[in-house]
Amino acid sequence: MSGPGEPPVPAAELVRAIDQGAIDRYAEVSGDRNPLHIDPAFAARTQFGGTVAHGMLLLAYVSEALALACGRPWLERGRMRARFRAPARPGDTVRVRVTARGQTAWQVEVVDQRGQLLVTAEAEVPPAPA
Amino acid sequence: MPALPSLDRLPRGHRFAPATYDLSHDWVDAYLAAVRDATTPSLAPETVPPVAVLALAVRALLEQAHLPEGSLHLSQELSCHRAARRGERVTAEATIVSRGERAGWLLLGIELAVRDAQGGPVVSGRATLGVPAGGGGP
């Protein structure tokens, strides 16, 4: 429980180090082999200046953090609306924080090691149908 | 194999062909290892994470269209209708539901849906992609 003026205490927190190997493994299993993610020479010529992690990889971390916070109901009837604000790059360490917003709603933030906001999401886990 | 059409050339209303995937134990294990998810198997060993299921709809899209250089995944919505189970067969669909230009970007809204073998919804969502319009960008 946090006091007045203090940031809310996360219901769940997850930290993941991102390297090129993690991105390559995700590309392989997801079938998303966009060279922006897996070809450093190609990616160096783009506006990003290097490879970046798939947005869906970051969402996988968000989903796991929501499963930590909400348990099985997240896996059965969760909803989420996420916005990608900045890319994660090899060498980054990302921290996923889930905080409660009432009984059934959750706020999620993904930040990198510099505190830069990478992803924001609102999630909801409706009560089980009667 | 013919070249894939570029995503930015496809009209609003374009429906990608449904693609069928097996949520095999091997694939689910490989996915969980790739994203280092130890939580889902400890909570519900037979369940496939909803984001993994939605990723198959993205895969169906990428197997049928070329993503232009500089494209960005701007936002993603996800609704889980029920837990997906290991071993089941699912069908992924994608439809371009909106197209609009803003500040040098073509914004594409794409509805994604994954259904079970009986046609029941498992996971659905909407992706918003930004594609540089005419090679430009913001």
Side-chain angles (χ1 to χ4, degrees), chain A residues 2-127:
Chain A
S2 53
E6 295 174 7
V9 175
E13 200 163 34
L14 193 73
V15 177
R16 289 284 181 269
I18 294 179
D19 58 21
Q20 189 59 51
I23 296 171
D24 291 346
R25 285 188 290 278
Y26 184 80
E28 188 61 32
V29 76
S30 69
D32 184 350
R33 298 184 184 85
N34 183 334
L36 176 63
H37 304 302
I38 60 172
D39 183 342
F42 172 89
R45 299 191 301 270
T46 70
Q47 76 255 40
F48 298 105
T51 58
V52 300
H54 303 73
M56 293 296 284
L57 175 58
L58 299 183
L59 278 201
Y61 302 155
V62 169
S63 178
E64 183 182 0
L66 284 164
L68 278 169
C70 310
R72 285 181 72 116
W74 164 252
L75 304 169
E76 295 167 350
R77 54 183 185 275
R79 300 177 195 150
M80 171 168 62
R81 183 185 296 244
R83 189 167 165 198
F84 301 106
R85 296 176 178 277
R89 302 164 185 278
D92 282 349
T93 298
V94 300
R95 184 178 297 271
V96 185
R97 283 196 203 102
V98 179
T99 49
R101 292 283 186 268
Q103 295 292 313
T104 61
W106 308 83
Q107 176 73 36
V108 187
E109 289 186 350
V110 182
V111 297
D112 66 14
Q113 67 278 8
R114 293 174 294 277
Q116 183 185 16
L117 196 54
L118 306 182
V119 181
T120 54
E122 297 92 43
E124 184 187 6
V125 180

